[in-house]
């Protein structure tokens, strides 16, 4: 029993610390060699990133996020797998990962949305839960253009499908709590959506930078 608790503590520490690391900072230092945080905020950052790095840049940034998220989950599954509870280890690591992403100690407990790491954690526990939640989230984002609405829909699906599809009770609870964390984090965004104050994501090309060019 003592060994089991030690493995849980190690898993929690690794997953929370990895979740607390900012993927944009990691990508800036090790992939793009440029501070991506200086591109702006919101749609400005999105447009600037797309203009400078293109689709390949998005793929690289996504790969950084996926590797950072998968690593602690795999470690958690391996550690707890030595005691015959690999699925529980992945679910617990996923919960701690999302907790670190939403409330990172390295950044004053002010994190980001945690959508991707939530889906990665869900896929690691039950692929059907993660894939279905991702599809619903993508559909909500595509038709509404609200990132926050997509996150809320995805989190609701993770909670609901975890209860319906995950057999192990402890894994199911951890996976559902992971989705609940994202929902709680998005309460302010939900109120903005209800009040019509949430900003939509624009997929239209931003050509304003061309006015800065010299002819």
């Amino acid at each position: 029993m003592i060994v089991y608790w030690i493995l849980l503590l190690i898993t929690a520490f690794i997953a929370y610390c990895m979740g607390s690391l900012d993927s944009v900072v990691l990508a800036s230092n090790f992939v793009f060699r440029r501070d991506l945080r200086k591109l702006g905020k919101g749609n400005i950052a999105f447009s600037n990133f797309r203009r400078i790095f293109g689709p390949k840049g998005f793929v690289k940034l996504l790969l950084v996020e996926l590797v950072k998220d998968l690593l602690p989950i795999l470690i958690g599954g391996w550690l707890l797998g030595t005691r015959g509870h690999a699925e529980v280890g992945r679910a617990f690591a996923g919960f701690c990962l999302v907790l670190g992403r939403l409330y990172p100690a390295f950044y004053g407990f002010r994190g980001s949305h945690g959508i991707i790491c939530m889906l990665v954690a869900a896929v690691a526990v039950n692929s059907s839960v993660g894939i279905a939640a991702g599809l619903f989230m993508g559909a909500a984002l595509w038709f509404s253009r609200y990132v926050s609405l997509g996150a809320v829909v995805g989190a609701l699906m993770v909670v609901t499908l975890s209860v319906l599809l995950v057999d192990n009770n402890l894994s199911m609870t951890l996976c559902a709590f992971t989705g609940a964390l994202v929902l709680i984090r998005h309460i302010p965004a939900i109120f903005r959506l209800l009040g019509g104050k949430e900003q939509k994501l624009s997929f239209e090309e931003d050509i304003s930078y061309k006015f800065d060019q010299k002819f």
Side-chain angles (χ1 to χ4, degrees), residues 5 17 30 36 42 53 65 68 101 124 134 152 199 207 211:
W5 282 104
C17 288
F30 300 106
L36 301 180
F53 300 106
E65 176 72 27
K68 184 181 75 70
R101 187 70 165 144
V152 169
Q199 185 179 17
I207 63 172
F211 293 102

Side-chain angles (χ1 to χ4, degrees), residues 28-214:
S28 298
N29 292 329
F30 300 106
V31 178
F32 296 97
R33 304 296 180 179
R34 177 174 179 176
D35 192 350
L36 301 180
R37 294 172 298 179
K38 294 182 178 180
L39 297 179
K41 294 182 178 180
N43 285 345
I44 295 177
F46 178 82
S47 298
N48 288 341
F49 185 90
R50 178 180 55 192
R51 171 171 59 87
I52 297 171
F53 300 106
K56 291 183 178 179
F58 281 110
V59 173
K60 291 180 180 179
L61 186 59
L62 179 61
L63 286 175
V64 172
E65 176 72 27
L66 291 177
V67 171
K68 184 181 75 70
D69 293 344
L70 275 173
L71 186 59
I73 291 175
L74 293 176
I75 291 175
W78 172 68
L79 288 175
L80 273 296
T82 61
R83 314 303 293 181
H85 299 285
E87 183 183 277
V88 174
R90 292 192 297 270
F92 182 64
F95 174 81
C96 295
L97 177 77
V98 172
L99 186 65
R101 187 70 165 144
L102 299 178
Y103 306 101
F106 303 150
Y107 299 99
F109 300 101
R110 296 180 179 179
S112 60
H113 45 72
I115 302 173
I116 296 178
C117 59
M118 176 192 70
L119 293 178
V120 171
V123 169
V125 176
N126 186 296
S127 59
S128 297
V129 173
I131 293 172
L135 290 175
F136 275 95
M137 185 193 75
L141 172 60
W142 180 261
F143 289 109
S144 72
R145 295 297 193 269
Y146 287 116
V147 175
S148 54
L149 181 60
V152 169
V153 170
L156 281 172
M157 293 307 300
V158 167
V159 173
T160 303
L161 294 176
S162 295
V163 175
L164 295 176
L165 300 179
V166 179
D167 296 326
N168 183 282
N169 288 333
L170 185 53
S171 298
M172 178 268 290
T173 302
L174 287 168
C175 197
F177 278 6
T178 300
L181 278 177
V182 176
L183 279 177
I184 293 171
R185 183 68 172 78
H186 281 79
I187 289 177
I190 293 173
F191 282 109
R192 290 196 300 269
L193 285 167
L194 294 175
K197 298 179 180 180
E198 185 73 343
Q199 185 179 17
K200 286 188 175 183
L201 179 65
S202 174
F203 292 105
E204 297 179 359
E205 182 182 5
D206 180 8
I207 63 172
S208 60
Y209 69 93
K210 294 184 178 180
F211 293 102
D212 296 328
Q213 295 178 351
K214 296 181 179 180

